[in-house]
Amino acid sequence: MGVGTLDIIIWVLIIALFILSFIGIVFPIIPSVLVLWGGFLLYQFLINSEQLNAAFWIGMSIFTVVLILADIIANSYFVKRFGGSKWGERGAAVAVILGSFIIPPFGIIILPFLVVFFIEILQSKTVGEAIRASIGSLLGFLGGALAKIVIQMIMIIWFFIVVLL
């Protein structure tokens, strides 16, 4: 196999990992940020170890932290904003993961909604308050997903700018 063919195979893998990172937003069992980094590391170690400089790696590290925090902050903010409890927040986080296995991809929307609803009812909230907290959970998930899409796009675009220019 020639060097050109190997490079093409590696590039196909890199692009596949980038696409898989977005699938991980809908299926949280796929660790989006790790898959994204897999693409960066393939390039670094198998194509060109000199092109991705310290500024790139520091920037990607910062974006990775922001990516992780964005999901947590969005979920927490919206559940709290809509009157949910700490248990509701925690239940929503677990339900998002479990929901990716149950009726994918809709389970990540339906299951957290139902879990937060029942948790809030168990804590003596009214049906209206429980529904409101559940809507907060849904908005938190959607807000976190949107933030992840934007941040991952920035990371991928930055990668291609560094690599292609």
Side-chain angles (χ1 to χ4, degrees), residues 75-138:
N75 190 15
S76 178
Y77 171 79
F78 280 104
V79 171
K80 277 183 196 173
R81 178 105 160 98
F82 283 72
S85 65
K86 279 283 183 202
W87 283 106
E89 291 177 51
R90 292 177 188 131
V94 171
V96 165
I97 295 167
L98 293 176
S100 67
F101 295 108
I102 302 168
I103 328 166
F106 304 107
I108 59 174
I109 295 170
I110 297 167
L111 192 60
F113 186 91
L114 293 174
V115 166
V116 169
F117 177 80
F118 287 115
I119 287 173
E120 299 303 329
I121 289 293
L122 288 172
Q123 294 188 54
S124 301
K125 300 256 179 126
T126 67
V127 170
E129 290 170 329
I131 288 174
R132 184 173 161 86
S134 295
I135 290 170
S137 167
L138 175 63

Side-chain angles (χ1 to χ4, degrees), residues 12-117:
V12 167
L13 285 172
I14 290 169
I15 303 241
L17 288 171
F18 289 171
I19 291 168
L20 189 60
S21 76
F22 288 103
I23 293 170
I25 293 170
V26 179
F27 295 99
I29 196 67
I30 299 169
S32 295
V33 73
L34 294 178
V35 172
L36 196 59
W37 272 76
F40 300 153
L41 294 171
L42 274 176
Y43 182 85
Q44 174 73 22
F45 292 110
L46 298 179
I47 293 181
N48 186 340
S49 63
E50 296 174 15
Q51 208 162 7
L52 301 177
N53 58 22
F56 174 83
W57 291 112
I58 291 168
M60 291 305 117
S61 297
I62 291 168
F63 276 120
T64 298
V65 170
V66 171
L67 208 114
I68 293 166
L69 290 177
D71 207 20
I72 295 167
I73 291 169
N75 190 15
S76 178
Y77 171 79
F78 280 104
V79 171
K80 277 183 196 173
R81 178 105 160 98
F82 283 72
S85 65
K86 279 283 183 202
W87 283 106
E89 291 177 51
R90 292 177 188 131
V94 171
V96 165
I97 295 167
L98 293 176
S100 67
F101 295 108
I102 302 168
I103 328 166
F106 304 107
I108 59 174
I109 295 170
I110 297 167
L111 192 60
F113 186 91
L114 293 174
V115 166
V116 169
F117 177 80

